[in-house]
């Protein structure tokens, strides 16, 4: 069975999502990274066949409309709560990758009763590492540029090439080319204003203090070659969570959901199995 494309109106804005296995009792909602869309999570989600699966295009991403308010973690969390209400879902297992994991963590801190279990995949905890410093400089320059130059600067081929070499470092050359093409497609969808708002939220603060508030049973997955969400910072976050399991994927970078989707799905399935 393939995912079916669906539409729901959330706060007078169009939100597209992809759904399958509606006959299953347990619901999993998957939140993609930035830039991105539901497409980046489909291969991994297909490995979770025993669950009712829902993958939205987050606001301002893919086919979904932007938020009417600023694009920050608080407003994305409120949107997610309204999205679940629109689908008559009281609670769900929440899986987030990268930026999606930041939304998932903040959502859990605001609405703990809505989250049955929490799965964070390569969560970006704070600004650190080579790529983070590089991107920070890029966006700080974009902020002071005239409006008509912001988009061309943020889509600069040289910047993207350097970043992609680091982000997709553990992929084969053929797969890396495909992944980069997808990312470039996603970036073209963003207005410079939303792009900068999301960047500011991505790198504004550490997730560690929020982690201390979370009591939901959690799984945290890290890649040992990840330079976006370095291993030490992800491990530190996992230690702050009251009830968490920490898994390191060997020879993996930041986008494990597309580089090794079946392996990632297997780790999640095994963790979700009822404990005997």
């Amino acid at each position: 069975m393939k995912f079916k494309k669906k539409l729901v109106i959330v706060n007078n804005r169009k939100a597209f999502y992809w759904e399958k296995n509606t006959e299953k009792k347990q619901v999993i909602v998957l939140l993609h990274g930035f830039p991105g869309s539901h497409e980046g999570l489909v291969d991994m989600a297909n490995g979770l066949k025993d669950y009712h699966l829902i993958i939205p295009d987050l606001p301002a991403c893919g086919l979904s409309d932007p938020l009417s308010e600023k694009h920050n973690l608080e407003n994305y969390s409120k949107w997610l709560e309204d999205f679940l209400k629109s689908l008559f879902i009281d609670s769900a297992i929440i899986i987030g990758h990268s930026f999606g994991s930041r939304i998932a963590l903040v959502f859990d801190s605001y609405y703990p009763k809505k989250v049955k279990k929490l799965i964070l995949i390569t969560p970006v905890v704070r600004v650190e590492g080579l790529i983070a410093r590089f991107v920070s400089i890029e966006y700080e320059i974009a902020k002071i540029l005239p409006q008509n130059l912001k988009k061309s600067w943020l889509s600069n081929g040289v910047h993207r090439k350097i970043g992609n070499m680091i982000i997709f470092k553990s992929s084969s050359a053929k797969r890396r080319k495909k992944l980069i093409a997808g990312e470039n497609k996603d970036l073209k969808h963003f207005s410079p204003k939303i792009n900068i708002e999301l960047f500011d939220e991505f790198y504004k603060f550490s997730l560690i203090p929020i982690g201390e508030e979370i009591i939901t049973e959690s799984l945290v997955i890290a890649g040992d070659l990840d330079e976006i969400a370095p291993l030490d910072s992800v491990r530190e976050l996992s230690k702050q969570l009251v009830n968490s399991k920490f898994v390191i994927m060997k020879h993996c970078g930041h986008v494990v959901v597309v580089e090794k989707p079946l392996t990632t799905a297997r780790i999640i399935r095994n963790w979700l199995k009822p404990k005997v």
Side-chain angles (χ1 to χ4, degrees):
M1 181 188 297
K2 292 184 178 181
F3 277 93
K4 290 185 178 180
K5 176 183 174 184
K6 297 186 178 181
L7 169 66
V8 65
I9 304 301
V10 181
N11 300 324
N12 298 315
R13 299 291 176 112
K14 292 179 181 178
F16 286 89
Y17 65 100
W18 281 254
E19 185 175 33
K20 69 182 293 188
N21 304 338
T22 55
E23 75 284 359
K24 302 295 182 182
K25 290 184 178 180
Q26 289 204 69
V27 179
I28 292 180
V29 176
L30 301 98
L31 309 176
H32 61 78
F34 164 73
S37 70
H38 75 283
E39 292 180 0
L41 294 173
V42 167
D43 288 346
M44 184 193 75
N46 280 329
L48 303 171
K49 61 182 181 180
D50 293 328
Y51 298 88
H52 176 181
L53 302 168
I54 296 171
I55 317 177
D57 275 353
L58 292 169
C61 300
L63 300 178
S64 293
D65 288 340
L67 295 171
S68 57
E69 304 170 287
K70 187 176 181 180
H71 293 78
N72 58 32
L73 288 175
E74 180 180 0
N75 289 333
Y76 269 107
S77 297
K78 290 178 180 177
W79 175 89
L80 181 55
E81 203 254 346
D82 291 335
F83 174 74
L84 294 178
K85 280 184 180 178
S86 298
L87 300 184
F88 304 100
I89 296 172
D90 294 326
S91 62
I93 298 165
I94 305 293
I95 299 178
H97 169 243
S98 190
F99 182 68
S101 67
R102 292 177 71 86
I103 297 173
L105 195 67
V106 173
F107 178 76
D108 195 331
S109 72
Y110 287 151
Y111 311 102
K113 293 182 179 179
K114 300 279 185 178
V115 185
K116 288 184 176 179
K117 292 187 179 182
L118 180 66
I119 300 168
L120 308 176
I121 304 172
T122 59
V124 180
V125 176
R126 56 177 172 244
V127 177
E128 59 185 333
L130 175 62
I131 185 63
R133 289 194 293 271
F134 171 79
V135 174
S136 294
I137 293 170
E138 178 186 3
Y139 275 83
E140 289 303 321
I141 292 172
K143 289 179 185 180
I144 63 175
L145 288 174
Q147 194 63 33
N148 62 326
L149 295 179
K150 289 182 187 292
K151 189 163 188 175
S152 59
W153 173 259
L154 290 172
S155 60
N156 184 289
V158 175
H159 301 162
R160 299 272 68 79
K161 186 174 182 180
I162 294 172
N164 288 331
M165 285 173 63
I166 298 172
I167 294 171
F168 303 118
K169 64 190 296 182
S170 61
S171 303
S172 66
K174 183 178 180 181
R175 188 158 182 77
R176 188 182 302 120
K177 184 176 180 180
K178 181 180 179 181
L179 294 173
I180 289 171
E183 185 184 67
N184 290 338
K185 174 186 173 184
D186 291 328
L187 275 171
K188 288 178 181 178
H189 178 79
F190 288 105
S191 73
K193 177 178 178 294
I194 294 174
N195 204 335
I196 291 172
E197 282 182 357
L198 284 169
F199 164 78
D200 280 344
E201 195 59 39
F202 219 124
Y203 292 98
K204 184 187 294 182
F205 60 87
S206 169
L207 293 181
I208 299 298
I210 298 176
E212 296 172 352
E213 304 171 9
I214 304 300
I215 60 173
T216 305
E217 186 179 1
S218 306
L219 171 65
V220 181
I221 299 174
D224 64 343
L225 301 179
D226 194 345
E227 292 190 43
I228 308 296
L231 192 57
D232 287 346
S233 66
V234 180
R235 182 185 284 111
E236 184 181 357
L237 172 64
S238 181
K239 287 180 178 178
Q240 297 302 315
L241 299 169
V242 173
N243 185 13
S244 73
K245 180 178 180 179
F246 182 55
V247 176
I248 300 172
M249 293 182 65
K250 299 292 185 181
H251 313 298
C252 288
H254 188 61
V255 287
V256 297
V257 292
V258 290
E259 291 178 337
K260 294 189 177 181
L262 297 182
T263 302
T264 308
R266 176 173 51 79
I267 291 169
I268 293 170
R269 282 200 316 271
N270 290 340
W271 180 74
L272 286 173
K273 283 180 181 177
K275 309 298 187 292
V276 179

